[in-house]
Amino acid sequence: MLEFVLNTVFWTLAIYGFFEVVKSVIYIGTYTKFRSDGIYVIIAVKNQEEKIEGFLRSIIFKILYGREEYLKNIVVADLQSSDNTKEIAKKLSKDYDVLKVTSWKDCKQIIDSVDEN
């Protein structure tokens, strides 16, 4: 009897989960501007000169070696850092096309332009 109850609960939850996934897919396709042109990552940084290079290189490594094939752009928005965070990110952006370094104000404009497309 216990096995029957557990199986019933399991299958009920599995069917519920399936319907939730289908509902989410229908919602995304119907009510959002679903585009398959990639994923944009916006990273807001402030005074992270010791960590920013390693962090960005790890993300770029995943893009270059195919783990994140939908990731098209990385936007680093500097929040008026007082150290060399922005300079380090700009140096990396010269080597990698997917990386763009900007201020927070310019980042808002980028977000608005992506939304319009």
Side-chain angles (χ1 to χ4, degrees):
M1 179 68 176
L2 179 62
E3 185 178 337
F4 174 75
V5 171
L6 290 176
N7 279 333
T8 303
V9 170
F10 172 76
W11 282 106
T12 303
L13 292 175
I15 292 170
Y16 173 77
F18 173 75
F19 284 122
E20 285 297 312
V21 168
V22 170
K23 184 176 83 172
S24 296
V25 168
I26 291 171
Y27 176 81
I28 289 170
T30 305
Y31 297 108
T32 64
K33 294 181 179 180
F34 182 72
R35 295 183 304 270
S36 62
D37 61 347
I39 296 173
Y40 295 80
V41 174
I42 299 172
I43 303 167
V45 295
K46 184 170 184 175
N47 298 333
Q48 293 296 314
E49 71 179 342
E50 295 175 8
K51 300 174 186 171
I52 190 68
E53 185 172 1
F55 180 76
L56 291 176
R57 285 191 187 275
S58 68
I59 292 174
I60 292 168
F61 179 81
K62 289 179 182 180
I63 295 169
L64 293 177
Y65 292 100
R67 291 186 183 174
E68 300 290 342
E69 62 270 0
Y70 298 110
L71 189 60
K72 300 296 182 189
N73 292 301
I74 302 170
V75 179
V76 177
D78 184 60
L79 303 173
Q80 299 177 343
S81 295
S82 59
D83 61 3
N84 292 326
T85 301
K86 190 171 185 177
E87 289 77 20
I88 293 168
K90 280 186 177 184
K91 183 179 119 188
L92 285 173
S93 70
K94 292 178 184 176
D95 295 334
Y96 302 104
D97 294 335
V98 297
L99 187 62
K100 179 174 174 59
V101 180
T102 185
S103 67
W104 182 246
K105 182 180 176 184
D106 294 336
C107 182
K108 288 181 193 177
Q109 292 173 350
I110 292 171
I111 293 170
D112 291 340
S113 71
V114 169
D115 187 38
E116 292 172 359
N117 292 331

